Amino acid sequence: MIQSESGLESGMLSIQSNIVKLPEPRLDSSISVEQALLDRRSMRSYKNQPLTIAEVGQLLWAAQGITEKSRGFRTAPSAGATFPFEVYLIAGNVTGLSAGIYQYDYHHHRLMLRREGDFRAKLSESALGQSSITNGAINIVLAGIYKRTTQRYGDRGIRYVHIEAGHIAQNVFLQAVALGLGSVPIGAFNDNKVQKALDLPKNEIPLYILPVGKIHQK
Ligand SMILES: Cc1cc2nc3c(=O)[nH]c(=O)nc-3n(C[C@H](O)[C@H](O)[C@H](O)COP(=O)(O)O)c2cc1C
């Protein structure tokens, strides 16, 4: 059930390469930045409806998409262009995409499957049982690799990594508004438990969980 670069098999999406090419992001919208800022609100309850792969791709692009190919610069600023973040998609309810943990490959705007299965409940358990994580069709997890930034800036790099998490998250929130979706920042969780639940490499520290889902009509 996974859409793959390696081709389609009789209409079914192939799982062979564990790579999922994402649709090209849209670069326009009918909603202004000002309206998105006005409308953004933390939402913790969502409809039990799937997101599309286009919506997922758009949210990931907003998080860390490449916007200047020659230098690899992205949608969010980064101290000294050290880019300390890896971005994970915890997919639960996405049309045409198997539930699983995927890493966003920003260089190629595609997903790399890391583990199959629905990890939302496990992730929620690692975050005081917060229901927004299980309700959300997806969760985006920002994992920081401090060394990328501290090797250039020393201890001050720690501050820069945390600031950068905010930039990335706000991009996701505003993009969610533009797509008519709801989201919430989740900072209350046990780092070790999240790292274990998602089987993250030791040097990748989870700093933010961003559930996203379809919202109930206002
Ligand atoms: C760093 C940070 C951590 C947060 N952690 C959580 C959280 O764990 N769970 C939650 O439901 N909301 C969390 N929030 C959301 C805040 O509760 C929310 O932003 C605040 O109530 C203001 O509402 P607004 O986002 O709608 O403007 C967090 C917000 C920030 C900035």
Side-chain angles (χ1 to χ4, degrees), residues 20-22 24-25 57 59-69 71-76 78 81-88 102-112 114 141-145 148 164 168 204:
V20 183
K21 186 89 189 98
L22 293 165
E24 283 304 305
L59 291 161
L60 292 169
W61 175 81
Q64 279 290 269
I66 303 278
T67 48
E68 195 183 316
K69 266 209 173 108
R71 295 193 290 173
F73 283 15
R74 309 191 190 164
T75 47
S78 174
T82 50
F83 300 114
F85 278 91
E86 293 299 322
V87 176
Y88 290 89
Y102 299 82
Q103 191 165 4
Y104 178 51
D105 172 3
Y106 24 77
H107 292 296
H108 301 97
H109 191 55
R110 64 188 186 183
L111 298 173
M112 318 293 286
R114 294 297 177 226
V141 173
L142 307 182
I145 301 176
R148 288 184 189 164
E164 199 168 317
I168 297 171
E204 295 189 17

Side-chain angles (χ1 to χ4, degrees), residues 37 39-44 127-128 130-133 166 169-170 173 183-189 207-209 211:
L37 287 167
D39 289 351
R40 186 209 61 79
R41 198 86 285 145
S42 289
M43 296 195 186
R44 300 172 178 85
L128 315 173
Q130 295 193 62
S131 59
S132 51
I133 294 174
Q170 186 75 356
F173 301 143
S183 56
V184 61
I186 300 284
F189 55 81
L207 290 174
Y208 236 166
I209 302 173

